[in-house]
Amino acid sequence: MENTQRRVGVIGGLRIPFCRNNTAYADVGNFGMSVKVLGALVERFGLHGVELGEVAMGAVIKHSSDWNLAREALLSSGLAPTTPGITTARACGTSLDNAIIVANKIAAGQIAAGIAGGSDTTSDVPIVYGTRLRKRLLAMNRAKTPLDKLRTALRGFSLGELKPSFPGVAEPRTGKSMGDHCEQMAKEWHIGREAQDQLALDSHHKLAVAYDAGFFDDLLVPFRGLKRDGFLRPDSTLEKLASLKPAFDKTSGHGTLTAGNSTGLSDGAAAVLLASDAWAAQRGLKIQAYLRDAEVAAVDFVHGEGLLMAPTIAVPRLLARHGLSLQDFDYYEIHEAFAAQVLCTLRAWESADYCRNRLGLDAPLGPIDPARLNVHGSSLAVGHPFAATGARIIATLAKMLEQKGSGRGLISICTAGGMGVTAILERP
């Protein structure tokens, strides 16, 4: 996106409040949440009947019938039906990835404007059956006569075939959950329980202050009776967090990740509108900030690297490309998948050994100002519907930069599969 003819502006974003799974949005699903967010964005920016160049939405957990969720949702959003849509997934980085997809097309002059976002639900998960029953059902469908279908259905059938299979949360390559991997990272980087609980507590308190100050009034659309995120605990204390038992390492006596300093299973959706300067000016829309550049990286977590450490690699590449230091930012939005992940990332950037041996740098990237980190709270307090988090962060950061009047913000999102998606937003 650097050195192109077109700058890519973030005009604004919206989301519905995020909530715990099996609560307010239990019967809505990805389609319903996506329609709500896209429709609200159409209303907010006067896009009814407008043809956009692309709508890129995503979902990590979705039914096969939602094979192109973005296209189906936009057809119910009020946008012109001639607007194309693409559905993607890169775990927790999905909607930031979608912003990169749309931004690159705008920067290249292929389109003038587009929407990026995502939704996820762990309330409405696809439940499938085992291989034997699937093959049996397909064979029944191929059978010509009712009698052949009955014979196929009964031949060799056992009740065990009816046992359903639920989506797994473990990494296919290791069999370990993200929490298990992050617990290993916390031990490797010597991240203690109290530091994790403090970061989680700070996230809740900052989010509560932001709500009370009205910061989210134009970033949220009330839905299903919710006006605030269902995870927010403004009355949380270190004592309450310290009372929670380890959620992953339950047997060694050294587990530090708990339900309080880890994100919970969430439902929600978010989207942002991106455009060129000319398109925004033509429609009388103000640009809050510009998406300057992005970088994606991956780590070899199967052979020992920390599953959630890829952003530590992506960020210095991004910095080098623009001649920036880690301290050259007014705001840092680091996705709080786990408090330990954020703290491992910060410690890695301060480590001379890691920066030299893994990143190939002459000196450590150094510390950041804690007062600039996740200023209005992040995923530990907001919630984390996987594919919605990136769009939430872009909308939040763009508004912060607009309020400041100028500045630069860094986005860092770790993902399942050992990847990281990062970006720079700025307001000249």
Side-chain angles (χ1 to χ4, degrees), residues 202-212 216 229 232 376-377 381-382:
D202 291 344
S203 188
H204 282 278
H205 287 177
K206 287 187 284 189
L207 182 65
V209 169
Y211 267 114
D212 292 344
F216 292 106
D229 301 299
L232 176 58
H376 296 305
V382 177

Side-chain angles (χ1 to χ4, degrees), residues 86-106:
I86 182 173
T87 302
T88 70
R90 196 203 297 269
C92 315
T94 297
S95 52
L96 179 54
D97 257 317
N98 285 334
I100 297 168
I101 290 171
V102 172
N104 281 337
K105 290 187 175 185
I106 293 171

Side-chain angles (χ1 to χ4, degrees), residues 32-46:
M33 292 190 295
S34 297
V35 170
K36 177 65 178 180
V37 165
L38 288 177
L41 207 63
V42 168
E43 292 297 322
R44 172 68 57 83
F45 296 110

